[in-house]
Amino acid sequence: MSTLLNIPVRAVLPRRSRLGAVLRRGLWWGVLSLTGGVERRGRLPRGGCVVVANHSSHADTAALLAALDARHSPAIGAAADYWFASPWRRRICRRLASGFPVRRGGGGMEDLLTMAGELRAGRAVVLFPEGTRAQDGALGSFHRGALVLAEEAGVPVVPVGIAGTDRLLPKHGRLRSALVRVTIGEPLPSAVSPEEARDAVVALHARTVGEPLRDSATRRRVAAVVTSRWGVPLAFCWAFAEALSWPLMPELLLGAVCVAVPRAAPKMSLGALAGSLAGGLLALHLASAGVHLPAPLTTDRMRAEVRHELALEGASAVRHQPWNGVPFKVYGAEAGRAGVNAPDWLAASAAARGSRTLTVGLAFAGFGLLMRRHRRQYGRYLVLLGGGFAAGLALIVHGWG
């Protein structure tokens, strides 16, 4: 061992710029935000440090790169026999994770000690002392390599607990939505034993897993309705009524429910689309039969513009509806009075309404994933959504007045 400690220190990888670390952190924060969100508790100390964390998923690396400060330009110790076994894996590991190889079948200590200079320069080196991904969340014993590296470089050991990655990307499983939480503990002296380091990580992991996710009672009630058997019928009926007379667009409903339950966005959007098409078809038939339904918050100028478009383009005139602010019910009623063919109207409406409804639903779902860790603010979000919708509707009606 003394021979190893006296060898000249050299860097395995070129030193990553702070810009590169910032870009990696932004990349993985964005990815994890789309898959459920990422939260961090605590901060790394100033200067170099060896980070030791529990390991249950390949997503652990992404979680740490998203959570750790970019000023430390974290480097990740990766299994040489897996991540550096082929050129494409090696490029992915180095460029996207700032990884360096650590041999698991002999020679791993030499690989680790080459990072001592990087640590003294203020870099954070991230290691998973278990050596492999654990099963069922149970932490295995810690190897000494991380602690020997910290002692050689004269830097502290920082325990980190990661929770949620085993649900996000289980070992031998498929990617799914889950919130990832990372808790950074207090620095430990470099002379800490493997058992003490493991105990610190176990305690942080248990605390992170047990910490309740702060939520809004309003969001929970909305989610209960959306995920029940009444969720899709509600979207259908709302959109159906709006296509006939109801003044509130189904996009308002999607803005509320897709943020509350992002995974329900596809079925709620499709339910709203089906309701719009059914209501629009009925509006066309009623208007062609001379039935005039009330149309609040519409204007004579809207109806005149739609009659002009229908005269020029026929059923395809409805393609303007998603962008000009004229309610869908105006198009349905005027199409009936103009004698537009019902099958042509249905096909054109499906394309126009489908593009808007599905895009809006998925966009709100994406926003809901980004804001998942702020669920407790859902009530305030509804107030802002309602206020923004009312202001936008007032501007549209005034503009068409």
Side-chain angles (χ1 to χ4, degrees), residues 216-307:
S216 160
T218 302
R219 192 209 67 83
R220 289 197 299 269
R221 286 192 286 268
V222 171
V225 174
V226 171
T227 56
S228 72
R229 61 178 180 173
W230 302 109
V232 174
L234 171 64
F236 179 92
C237 292
W238 185 301
F240 181 85
E242 191 271 339
L244 293 172
S245 179
W246 178 246
L248 302 182
M249 296 182 295
E251 287 79 5
L252 175 62
L253 175 68
L254 294 178
V257 301
C258 294
V259 169
V261 192
R263 70 177 184 275
K267 68 177 184 179
M268 295 296 289
S269 300
L270 289 173
L273 175 59
S276 286
L277 297 179
L281 195 59
L282 178 59
L284 180 144
H285 284 298
L286 290 175
S288 65
V291 178
H292 294 271
L293 296 174
L297 302 181
T298 63
T299 68
D300 291 336
R301 186 182 167 200
M302 289 180 182
R303 287 182 279 275
E305 176 65 22
V306 172
R307 285 194 294 269

Side-chain angles (χ1 to χ4, degrees), residues 94-262:
R94 283 181 170 164
R95 293 175 184 175
L96 299 185
S98 189
F100 66 94
V102 179
R103 287 169 285 179
R104 293 191 287 191
M109 187 64 72
E110 291 92 331
D111 297 334
L112 291 177
L113 291 175
T114 57
M115 298 300 293
E118 301 285 333
L119 285 166
R120 296 190 190 104
R123 198 170 188 182
V125 173
V126 178
L127 298 169
F128 300 108
E130 296 167 271
T132 186
R133 289 170 291 166
Q135 292 280 11
D136 303 324
L139 271 70
S141 59
F142 276 19
H143 300 297
R144 292 189 56 84
L147 310 180
V148 172
L149 173 60
E151 191 166 10
E152 165 66 11
V155 298
V157 176
V158 179
V160 171
I162 308 172
T165 52
D166 55 339
R167 294 188 298 276
L168 176 67
L169 185 60
K171 189 173 182 178
H172 308 306
R174 293 182 299 177
L175 181 69
R176 52 189 175 183
S177 177
L179 174 66
V180 173
R181 290 186 279 182
V182 176
T183 303
I184 302 172
E186 294 296 322
L188 303 173
S190 57
V192 67
S193 70
E195 292 76 19
E196 291 171 327
R198 180 185 180 279
D199 290 345
V201 173
V202 168
L204 286 170
H205 177 254
R207 190 177 87 191
T208 306
V209 170
E211 185 178 51
L213 181 64
R214 288 174 289 181
D215 202 349
S216 160
T218 302
R219 192 209 67 83
R220 289 197 299 269
R221 286 192 286 268
V222 171
V225 174
V226 171
T227 56
S228 72
R229 61 178 180 173
W230 302 109
V232 174
L234 171 64
F236 179 92
C237 292
W238 185 301
F240 181 85
E242 191 271 339
L244 293 172
S245 179
W246 178 246
L248 302 182
M249 296 182 295
E251 287 79 5
L252 175 62
L253 175 68
L254 294 178
V257 301
C258 294
V259 169
V261 192

Side-chain angles (χ1 to χ4, degrees), residues 360-373:
V360 168
L362 294 177
F364 276 118
F367 180 72
L369 289 173
L370 290 173
M371 301 304 293
R372 186 169 179 175
R373 59 178 175 169

Side-chain angles (χ1 to χ4, degrees), residues 317-390:
V318 75
R319 65 187 176 88
H320 301 291
Q321 191 276 327
W323 319 111
N324 62 14
V326 177
F328 185 54
K329 56 179 168 282
V330 176
Y331 276 87
E334 294 302 327
R337 296 185 186 106
V340 172
N341 179 265
D344 293 342
W345 169 255
L346 185 61
S349 298
R353 292 298 296 168
S355 63
R356 171 167 160 167
T357 303
L358 296 177
T359 299
V360 168
L362 294 177
F364 276 118
F367 180 72
L369 289 173
L370 290 173
M371 301 304 293
R372 186 169 179 175
R373 59 178 175 169
H374 301 297
R375 282 180 166 183
R376 64 188 182 278
Q377 305 295 340
Y378 180 76
R380 295 180 182 178
Y381 162 75
L382 286 184
V383 172
L384 292 174
L385 177 68
F389 177 82

